[in-house]
Amino acid sequence: APEQTESTSAPEQTGSTAATEEPAESHTEEAADSGSPITVNYAVDVIIPESAKVFEFSAAGALQPVQTVFTASRTVADLKVLALTCEDIDEDGNITFSVEELMTIPEFTADSVLNASLEYIGTIPNNGISYTDPDAGKTRRFAVNMSGKDGSLFLWEF
């Protein structure tokens, strides 16, 4: 898959979206809920209904895999699991990622579950997701991050 480069900033610093070049805005872990219909949790914190349509993903070569579950409150198209690699961090804390698409689910519904075995390395996110927003029809990308406060998982848009 072709690599793409996106610029964003760490959750506790100012952020911007490369695609729109809008002014930076404050982004904290508490403000990480960006209205996305996708949520992320540790698998041990989720009860998967027997009726769920379960998709499986395992990160290649993960030495310490963490079972991570993604769910949706409504249908999204082209849900993708992404590998993020930090390419650069500027003086304002903006991170430039290279993005590799690892898996695509054409339609991810409210009764779907993505059970992903991911590895979390260091403090800069290395996992992400993207999907086509059902309302705007545009692609939204999120880093999967681990809170430095309590270790919980959350998504922040880049």
Side-chain angles (χ1 to χ4, degrees), residues 56-114:
E56 300 283 341
F57 173 80
S58 290
L63 299 176
Q64 296 182 324
V66 176
Q67 288 305 117
T68 306
V69 171
F70 297 88
T71 56
S73 60
R74 58 191 164 97
T75 300
V76 298
D78 297 322
L79 178 70
K80 296 179 181 181
V81 176
L82 308 173
L84 306 179
T85 303
C86 177
E87 295 293 325
D88 187 45
I89 303 175
D90 69 17
E91 66 270 1
D92 295 325
N94 295 316
I95 302 172
T96 302
F97 288 111
S98 64
V99 176
E100 181 183 357
E101 296 174 0
L102 302 175
M103 175 188 187
T104 301
I105 300 169
E107 182 179 67
F108 194 72
T109 63
D111 64 347
S112 297
V113 172
L114 171 56

Side-chain angles (χ1 to χ4, degrees), residues 25-76:
E25 55 185 273
S26 176
H27 187 95
T28 64
E29 289 180 15
E30 290 76 21
D33 177 16
S34 57
S36 173
I38 305 295
T39 56
V40 61
N41 289 287
Y42 293 108
V44 297
D45 296 332
V46 177
I47 297 172
I48 299 173
E50 287 186 31
S51 61
K53 184 174 185 180
V54 179
F55 296 90
E56 300 283 341
F57 173 80
S58 290
L63 299 176
Q64 296 182 324
V66 176
Q67 288 305 117
T68 306
V69 171
F70 297 88
T71 56
S73 60
R74 58 191 164 97
T75 300
V76 298

Side-chain angles (χ1 to χ4, degrees), residues 89-147:
I89 303 175
D90 69 17
E91 66 270 1
D92 295 325
N94 295 316
I95 302 172
T96 302
F97 288 111
S98 64
V99 176
E100 181 183 357
E101 296 174 0
L102 302 175
M103 175 188 187
T104 301
I105 300 169
E107 182 179 67
F108 194 72
T109 63
D111 64 347
S112 297
V113 172
L114 171 56
N115 187 19
S117 180
L118 302 174
E119 188 163 38
Y120 297 90
I121 303 169
T123 58
I124 297 173
N126 61 303
N127 301 295
I129 62 164
S130 70
Y131 60 85
T132 301
D133 185 292
D135 297 325
K138 69 174 189 165
T139 299
R140 296 180 69 186
R141 292 184 176 154
F142 296 84
V144 180
N145 209 351
M146 192 178 293
S147 170

